Amino acid sequence: MAGMEIVLGSYEQFTVCYRTEPLKKDPSKLFLKEAFAAHLHTSSVRSISSHGKYVATGGADDRICLLDMKDGTQVTDFLHHDGTINAVAFSKDGTHLFAGCSDGSMSAINMARLSVSRTWKNAHKAAVQSISIHPQGTLALTLGADLTLKTWDLITGRTLFTTALRKNTKYGNVVSDVQWSPDGEHFALLGARVVDVMSVETTHSVRTVQCDSKPTVICWLSDEEIAVGLENGSLLLLNIHNDEQQEQLPIYETRVKAIATNGAGFIATASSAGDVSLWRLEDDEFSEIATKQTGCRPICLALRSSDATPQTPDAEPDIDPAVVEEETETKR
């Protein structure tokens, strides 16, 4: 179980990495040891994404920072947005990094060239809140504060579908996150008091769960299982096809602020009070592996392997430059 890292973004402007280490007195048990703390932003760190040896962070200082986790150093930063970076997401092959901004714009960064290959200035009419890349890498979902959900063709860079969510009363005029399932057959939406799972094939909801507390964060544990963090500090575990498989676990006294999984049964969470924890879900048994009080206020986190094989993205972009709608200009 050793060899995992939780990379945390905080209100205090720091990106902090905690690494699992075996206890000297009992090597069968782990603790979270701070590996490094990087002050890359001049305001709060609002979003984070990891792929291979890279971690990308987006901040309220309009900045996107790229961190090389192999040695914990900053590779570069990007200043092409004019607003808080609410979402960053690597494509599944790592060739591109997508970013969503509070001014409604979205951009794609070519990781081989470390340059911005495209900007959509009006991706949404209000802040881009969430970006989720389809497992096959050709589609993306974006969620806007304008209460619209958009499906994008990443090959052409064009919008395929726009869904107005304001008309659907079950969301309570609040939709905060969208995430594809690992198999790409479903996606989940978070509303004011609801978790809604949609089928791509039927375009209808397969399960809608009413929560007794506001859902704050979500991640897919498998093709059928979801973990949802709640404002009351509980973690909701549910199966999208089985109403009887649902469990609510009180893991914190304050809201669950961030959550991530490595897809192998391990889950990382953080509370608004500064707790960061690593959990394991195995054979329906949920257990805590390690926890630590960070002394900061977490906003976002990523869970990664500390021995992740460095990956070099392909030199050629998968986004056709011939259909670029708007070229990015360097912010002056």
Side-chain angles (χ1 to χ4, degrees):
M1 291 187 292
M4 284 182 287
E5 293 175 339
I6 299 174
V7 189
L8 192 75
S10 72
Y11 278 104
E12 290 78 14
Q13 307 173 8
F14 280 89
T15 302
V16 188
C17 176
Y18 297 97
R19 186 171 295 146
T20 56
E21 298 282 352
L23 288 170
K24 292 183 179 179
K25 294 182 179 179
D26 186 355
S28 66
K29 297 182 180 179
L30 301 178
F31 73 101
L32 293 173
K33 179 181 179 180
E34 183 177 318
F36 66 82
H39 192 192
L40 307 178
H41 293 271
T42 58
S43 191
S44 58
V45 184
R46 307 305 295 271
S47 52
I48 193 167
S49 183
S50 174
H51 187 280
K53 69 174 182 177
Y54 292 119
V55 165
T57 58
D61 55 0
D62 311 355
R63 185 189 308 264
I64 300 167
C65 293
L66 187 64
L67 190 67
D68 186 337
M69 294 298 293
K70 189 175 181 180
D71 52 14
T73 59
Q74 182 178 346
V75 177
T76 188
D77 58 6
F78 302 92
L79 296 168
H80 55 281
H81 280 294
D82 290 310
T84 297
I85 312 300
N86 293 321
V88 287
F90 281 102
S91 61
K92 299 306 176 182
D93 59 4
T95 59
H96 286 80
L97 173 68
F98 294 85
C101 184
S102 61
D103 64 1
S105 66
M106 181 173 70
S107 64
I109 296 170
N110 186 300
M111 289 297 295
R113 301 171 183 171
L114 292 182
S115 62
V116 181
S117 59
R118 175 177 296 184
T119 296
W120 297 264
K121 290 186 177 179
N122 298 300
H124 284 271
K125 294 180 180 179
V128 179
Q129 296 176 303
S130 179
I131 301 174
S132 184
I133 310 298
H134 191 275
Q136 294 183 357
T138 57
L139 298 174
L141 291 171
T142 62
L143 187 64
D146 54 0
L147 289 177
T148 63
L149 175 70
K150 290 192 176 184
T151 305
W152 299 83
D153 183 334
L154 295 183
I155 303 300
T156 65
R158 301 185 186 279
T159 306
L160 295 176
F161 307 103
T162 298
T163 305
L165 302 175
R166 190 182 301 276
K167 299 177 183 179
N168 199 323
T169 58
K170 67 180 174 182
Y171 297 123
N173 272 338
V174 175
V175 188
S176 58
D177 199 4
V178 61
Q179 294 294 331
W180 284 108
S181 63
D183 60 7
E185 295 183 3
H186 300 86
F187 61 86
L189 288 162
L190 291 188
R193 289 274 180 157
V194 69
V195 180
D196 195 27
V197 181
M198 305 291 293
S199 167
V200 175
E201 182 180 0
T202 66
T203 69
H204 292 101
S205 176
V206 298
R207 187 169 183 193
T208 301
V209 178
Q210 296 291 333
C211 304
D212 57 8
S213 181
K214 179 182 178 181
T216 52
V217 287
I218 185 172
C219 73
W220 288 82
L221 305 178
S222 69
D223 295 338
E224 298 184 350
E225 297 172 308
I226 292 177
V228 183
L230 303 179
E231 194 170 55
N232 64 8
S234 295
L235 190 67
L236 178 64
L237 304 176
L238 59 92
N239 186 295
I240 65 172
H241 297 305
N242 190 337
D243 292 348
E244 296 181 358
Q245 291 188 23
Q246 179 173 323
E247 186 176 10
Q248 186 165 315
L249 307 170
I251 63 171
Y252 296 128
E253 294 183 357
T254 58
R255 79 167 64 105
V256 182
K257 189 67 178 178
I259 188 170
T261 181
N262 66 352
F266 294 97
I267 306 164
T269 59
S271 77
S272 58
D275 306 288
V276 60
S277 309
L278 183 65
W279 313 82
R280 185 169 189 175
L281 181 61
E282 186 176 24
D283 298 329
D284 296 328
E285 183 177 342
F286 188 78
S287 57
E288 184 181 87
I289 296 173
T291 190
K292 184 180 183 66
Q293 170 54 238
T294 65
C296 66
R297 294 174 293 168
I299 297 179
C300 52
L301 64 78
L303 177 62
R304 64 185 305 277
S305 171
S306 59
D307 57 356
T309 303
Q311 300 181 28
T312 303
D314 297 334
E316 293 301 319
D318 55 4
I319 298 177
D320 185 356
V323 295
V324 172
E325 296 170 343
E326 297 169 350
E327 291 294 336
T328 301
E329 296 182 355
T330 304
K331 188 168 71 174
R332 300 174 185 268

